[in-house]
Amino acid sequence: MRVLVGMPDKDSLGGPVYCEPPFVAALRASGVEVDEETYVYGEGSSPTPLLKRFARVIDAAKRLRRRTRETRYDIIHLNTSIDEKCVVRDLVTFAFLPSKVPVYLKMHGSIASFLATKNPVWRWAMRRLFARAAGVGVLSSEERENFIRAGCPPEKLSLAKLVVDADIFRPDPGFRTCHGVGPDTPILLYSARFVETKGLLDVIAACGELKKAGSEFALFCLGDGPVRVEAETLAAELGIAARVRFFGYIPESDTAAFHANSTAFVFPTYHDEGLPIVILKSIAAGLPIITTRIRGAADYMTDPENCLWTEPHNPTALAERITELLDNPDLRQKMSTNNRHLATQFTGESIAKEYFELYNSLLSEKRG
């Protein structure tokens, strides 16, 4: 079997640039012949102007077409998502690709409101995209239902998994000393793009509640984005600025030490997540988790075996859940053990096997 995979640019931000290279490596190790071609997905540190972005889309589509003319592929695998930009890009790409080669679209998230749009043009565009794709992979059962309501045939949908390498999450005895945190101070970790819907301000407010209750903690915030200034201002107003560290953007490959050496991961997101890679990293690191019961998290985790669920927009409830976790070392150990076991579902070997079977089913349907 030979597969052409559209890969995100190495300088783009987000989960795909982290999880797709080990996925491709696992496919190759399983015996699949894989060629890679850069496919426009996501942005770098600064937005791309519209005309330049469109030129990149056309260039990528032409390169994909050229590859299919030079080499016979059984499957084309494209990493994508669902929003206005992605639908336009994918439809343009399909116009350049030969219809005889099955194309699998692996969704790294989706915008629920866009899938539910009443706009006839966008509804037509999505249905056209679904009709052209041989298969569509989504990251959660909630997204699957959203896609079905948007007109995607159920038989084309499958649950996609992301690869995460648990071996890179190693405890470091010098981590706390390096960051000036005492041995008994719990480290709360938050990692995401700093947008309102990912809950950073709720985490800051909850830590204000912890301070009032006399709890010790250090909050490490990895990332950057529009609400950073507001988050720093709120931390100062609540008198916890000395306990909160803003590290800015850190490359995905460099975040493993934070997941491996923190006490808990706190992520009260209400964003249109699929299965956030930061959740998967925390699972693989055996890190106790506090998050909202959303999409992929709800598919794979249960409370209190793997996590504690919290509510969005409710810092008081979040502070109570953090306190519950910090006050119960047995619960933290139980979560850690269970999450390491859960991580075995996301190894490259197991996921490569699932995709090999999926590709074969798409080929069988194409021949039929």
Side-chain angles (χ1 to χ4, degrees):
M1 181 185 295
R2 190 157 197 166
V3 180
L4 177 61
V5 178
M7 296 288 284
D9 188 283
K10 61 181 178 61
D11 295 324
S12 63
L13 306 180
V17 74
Y18 170 84
C19 64
E20 290 308 294
F23 164 70
V24 167
L27 276 181
R28 288 183 175 131
S30 72
V32 177
E33 292 183 75
V34 182
D35 290 337
E36 300 176 40
E37 186 60 69
T38 301
Y39 190 56
V40 181
Y41 181 90
E43 293 281 8
S45 56
S46 58
T48 304
L50 180 60
L51 289 179
K52 183 177 180 181
R53 185 179 180 89
F54 187 73
R56 288 173 59 200
V57 168
I58 297 296
D59 179 63
K62 288 180 176 179
R63 282 187 279 105
L64 287 168
R65 180 177 63 183
R66 185 164 53 249
R67 296 292 290 267
T68 61
R69 288 176 172 176
E70 295 171 349
T71 306
R72 180 188 174 277
Y73 292 102
D74 298 295
I75 297 285
I76 298 174
H77 173 130
L78 299 180
N79 292 291
T80 185
S81 184
I82 280 285
D83 59 23
E84 292 91 339
K85 293 178 181 178
C86 291
V87 167
V88 171
R89 178 205 57 203
D90 293 344
L91 285 176
V92 169
T93 301
F94 271 124
F96 282 82
L97 295 177
S99 59
K100 62 183 179 181
V101 184
V103 178
Y104 170 78
L105 299 178
K106 182 178 183 180
M107 300 289 170
H108 290 267
S110 59
I111 305 298
S113 58
F114 179 69
L115 282 165
T117 183
K118 301 299 182 183
N119 184 301
V121 174
W122 286 121
R123 290 183 66 83
W124 172 87
M126 281 191 286
R127 289 173 185 268
R128 178 63 183 160
L129 185 67
F130 300 149
R132 181 66 176 81
V136 179
V138 295
L139 296 177
S140 68
S141 55
E142 178 186 327
E143 285 179 286
R144 184 179 187 277
E145 295 305 312
N146 290 342
F147 272 73
I148 291 173
R149 285 191 289 269
C152 187
E155 63 273 15
K156 289 192 174 185
L157 286 161
S158 59
L159 286 181
K161 288 182 179 176
L162 306 177
V163 172
V164 61
D165 181 8
D167 292 337
I168 67 173
F169 299 98
R170 300 187 181 94
D172 178 3
F175 180 82
R176 287 175 170 270
T177 301
C178 176
H179 294 288
V181 179
D184 299 322
T185 300
I187 298 176
L188 306 177
L189 178 64
Y190 174 93
S191 178
R193 178 158 168 75
F194 289 4
V195 295
E196 183 177 356
T197 52
K198 288 184 180 279
L200 174 59
L201 298 179
D202 289 345
V203 175
I204 301 291
C207 286
E209 299 277 345
L210 295 180
K211 176 181 179 292
K212 284 194 287 187
S215 299
E216 284 294 319
F217 68 89
L219 173 63
F220 286 4
C221 301
L222 311 185
D224 210 339
V227 301
R228 175 166 181 170
V229 173
E230 187 176 353
E232 292 175 334
T233 300
L234 180 60
E237 291 174 349
L238 295 174
I240 59 172
R243 305 192 192 192
V244 182
R245 315 280 179 85
F246 292 94
F247 288 83
Y249 170 73
I250 294 179
E252 293 284 349
S253 58
D254 295 339
T255 62
F258 291 89
H259 287 268
N261 295 282
S262 295
T263 308
F265 183 67
V266 185
F267 190 52
T269 177
Y270 50 99
H271 191 71
D272 274 342
E273 306 282 358
L275 179 55
I277 195 68
V278 290
I279 291 286
L280 278 181
K281 288 180 178 181
S282 298
I283 289 172
L287 187 59
I289 298 167
I290 301 174
T291 190
T292 42
R293 196 177 186 279
I294 187 171
R295 292 201 173 179
D299 284 338
Y300 295 104
M301 300 193 300
T302 58
D303 178 332
E305 284 73 23
N306 310 100
C307 66
L308 295 180
W309 299 129
T310 190
E311 303 171 1
H313 312 294
N314 194 335
T316 299
L318 178 59
E320 291 172 355
R321 300 251 77 180
I322 295 173
T323 300
E324 178 183 351
L325 190 62
L326 296 185
D327 287 349
N328 194 332
D330 290 339
L331 176 60
R332 297 200 304 275
Q333 183 57 53
K334 175 184 174 183
M335 279 188 191
S336 180
T337 300
N338 290 341
N339 283 342
R340 290 184 187 280
H341 178 71
L342 177 60
T344 60
Q345 293 188 34
F346 302 96
T347 63
E349 182 180 3
S350 64
I351 292 178
K353 181 180 178 181
E354 292 179 15
Y355 271 88
F356 184 78
E357 294 172 354
L358 172 64
Y359 294 155
N360 271 323
S361 70
L362 296 180
L363 287 172
S364 298
E365 292 171 9
K366 186 71 174 179
R367 296 188 191 104

